[in-house]
Amino acid sequence: MTPLNTASQSYYSLEGCNLDDFKSLIAQSLSKDALAHADDVQSNIPVYDMARLRPMLGDTSARQTLMAEWGWVLGQSAGVIVLKGAYADTTPLDAATEIYLQIIEQERSHSTGADHFAGKGKNDRIWNSLQKLCERDPETYVKYFANASLHTACEAWLGPNYQMTAQVNLVHPGGEAQQPHRDYHFGFQTADETARYPAHVHQISQLMTLQGGIAHVDMPIDSGPTKLLPFSQLYGPGYLAYRRPDFAACFEDHYVQMPVTKGDAFFFNPALFHAAGANTSTGIDRFANLLQISSVMGIAMESIDHAKMCMLIYDPVKTARAAGLLTDQEVQALIAATAYGYSFPTSLDTDPPTGGLAPETQAALFHRAVEENMPLADFTVALATQFKRRSA
């Protein structure tokens, strides 16, 4: 009988990450001969000319063949694809850009500059640019997102019925590069929290989202297009490893960048090591609408009024805990079953992270209230205030 896995096999740790294993994965190369539909492979990044491929998108069988290739690249090969000319007509991009610039100017007047990805003044970010564009100009929104190339890329990784979100990022000349990282979900958690999840959940995480971007302007290398490390999504403990200085140094030694033009789109596995580049240009405001698309499978089966349940059990939990009738583990189990335990989805305009990359969860608020012996009335107000921040 095969023995059960030990904790060291089933859980990743920061100290257990092996740089040599990582280097062997990123040393691979992708040949154009391995791809039936790519027009080029530049620095291991396959490039697809959508002017040529767009007719395939209307044919079910041909489209599925193309999606199969893209899904293989994103999951098992380089981890990133570039769609040249994803927008045959860039007029909707120009119209959206004007609207987004208006939103940026309006939000600057009351913004705290709480963009946890860059220093204040170095860039402008619009959270939930998807909904804000729709509310501001529905006709432009229709023209912008009625895009079969984007739709096909999303379905290639996530299947149908995915959920789109978007965030505009405008990086001015002088904007500094980001540190290498992986993205949502575990990319937004602390190392300690990430290490609590079994190894197989680390693998699931990258299957639940897709990262993308739409170029609203031409982005030559000196404007700082995204730095990418092909094949790095294949490293299992990568959601921990990217936080280590030796892995970050390896990324800086081996990353690649690709210039893109207005109307291009790019998509990559969220587990790919990546970082926004430094904008060293003298006059280019790098403007991209960043897409984060989620699988429909990440939805619970039933709707639960978590806040109401938290208020109902709060005093009984405190009383039982004070009397020694509940252990700490039992309190943790009870809160986990009752409170909403994730920071997202939320409104990052009104619920920005404090002290990290993710806002406080309802479950964390419950734990904090118990530890601080918060009166029920104060806990009720705190829950209502948190709900308002998250849903604003």
Side-chain angles (χ1 to χ4, degrees):
M1 180 181 293
T2 303
L4 293 174
N5 284 348
T6 64
S8 63
Q9 294 171 308
S10 297
Y11 288 84
Y12 295 134
S13 66
L14 198 62
E15 60 274 12
C17 297
N18 187 298
L19 186 59
D20 289 336
D21 290 345
F22 183 71
K23 286 181 176 179
S24 68
L25 287 172
I26 63 172
Q28 300 177 70
S29 62
L30 175 61
S31 169
K32 183 176 177 298
D33 294 338
L35 304 169
H37 302 291
D39 291 88
D40 195 10
V41 174
Q42 301 178 20
S43 301
N44 284 323
I45 299 176
V47 180
Y48 294 86
D49 180 2
M50 296 313 299
R52 182 179 63 82
L53 295 175
R54 196 166 283 111
M56 293 182 64
L57 306 185
D59 180 291
T60 301
S61 178
R63 181 174 181 266
Q64 191 172 68
T65 299
L66 180 61
M67 288 195 296
E69 180 169 308
W70 287 356
W72 177 79
V73 173
L74 291 167
Q76 301 173 58
S77 184
V80 54
I81 58 175
V82 171
L83 310 186
K84 299 295 294 183
Y87 283 81
D89 177 11
T90 58
T91 303
L93 299 186
D94 294 334
T97 296
E98 290 302 314
I99 294 168
Y100 287 140
L101 289 174
Q102 294 170 15
I103 293 172
I104 286 170
E105 286 301 318
Q106 291 177 351
E107 293 188 348
R108 276 178 181 166
S109 63
H110 57 80
S111 172
T112 61
D115 179 359
H116 47 285
F117 298 106
K120 187 176 182 179
K122 298 295 181 66
N123 77 340
D124 292 292
R125 187 178 291 268
I126 302 176
W127 298 114
N128 194 5
S129 60
L130 182 88
Q131 180 177 331
K132 290 173 182 175
L133 177 62
C134 185
E135 291 174 341
R136 189 66 65 94
D137 191 329
E139 291 184 3
T140 295
Y141 176 90
V142 166
K143 295 174 182 176
Y144 190 101
F145 282 103
N147 186 295
S149 297
L150 304 186
H151 178 53
T152 301
C154 294
E155 279 205 359
W157 187 241
L158 300 170
N161 306 317
Y162 54 81
Q163 176 67 61
M164 177 74 72
T165 64
Q167 308 84 32
V168 161
N169 196 26
L170 174 58
V171 182
H172 307 291
E176 299 175 356
Q178 290 179 332
Q179 294 296 309
H181 59 279
R182 283 180 165 187
D183 256 314
Y184 192 76
H185 294 262
F186 286 133
F188 280 29
Q189 305 299 320
T190 65
D192 288 344
E193 185 71 9
T194 299
R196 293 179 59 198
Y197 287 84
H200 64 268
V201 181
H202 286 237
Q203 308 312 312
I204 292 172
S205 178
Q206 63 180 270
L207 299 175
M208 298 299 286
T209 60
L210 177 65
Q211 302 298 123
I214 302 166
H216 278 234
V217 297
D218 293 349
M219 298 182 189
I221 295 298
D222 64 349
S223 72
T226 304
K227 301 190 292 187
L228 304 161
L229 188 55
F231 301 101
S232 57
Q233 86 282 2
L234 299 174
Y235 187 61
Y239 280 107
L240 288 166
Y242 81 77
R243 308 163 200 265
R244 283 183 28 168
D246 53 344
F247 279 79
C250 180
F251 173 87
E252 294 299 334
D253 288 340
H254 296 92
Y255 75 80
V256 298
Q257 286 175 289
M258 178 180 294
V260 293
T261 58
K262 183 169 72 173
D264 293 348
F266 54 93
F267 291 89
F268 57 90
N269 186 311
L272 194 80
F273 281 47
H274 65 281
N279 188 344
T280 61
S281 72
T282 57
I284 301 173
D285 288 315
R286 191 177 81 237
F287 195 122
N289 201 8
L290 306 179
L291 308 178
Q292 190 168 82
I293 311 99
S294 297
S295 167
V296 71
M297 299 299 178
I299 305 298
M301 186 172 69
E302 294 181 317
S303 298
I304 306 295
D305 190 341
H306 295 282
K308 180 179 181 180
M309 295 170 63
C310 287
M311 288 184 286
L312 288 171
I313 70 166
Y314 182 66
D315 273 345
V317 168
K318 285 206 308 177
T319 300
R321 181 172 181 265
L325 300 177
L326 288 176
T327 67
D328 287 344
Q329 284 292 323
E330 288 169 336
V331 171
Q332 290 179 17
L334 186 57
I335 293 176
T338 309
Y340 188 73
Y342 202 44
S343 297
F344 305 102
T346 191
S347 169
L348 286 165
D349 285 312
T350 56
D351 188 32
T354 54
L357 289 175
E360 183 178 47
T361 68
Q362 188 181 74
L365 172 58
F366 200 137
H367 279 288
R368 179 166 62 83
V370 170
E371 291 300 321
E372 296 175 0
N373 197 28
M374 190 182 292
L376 175 59
D378 292 348
F379 179 56
T380 301
V381 170
L383 283 171
T385 302
Q386 184 186 63
F387 176 81
K388 184 176 180 180
R389 286 198 311 269
R390 293 174 65 87
S391 57

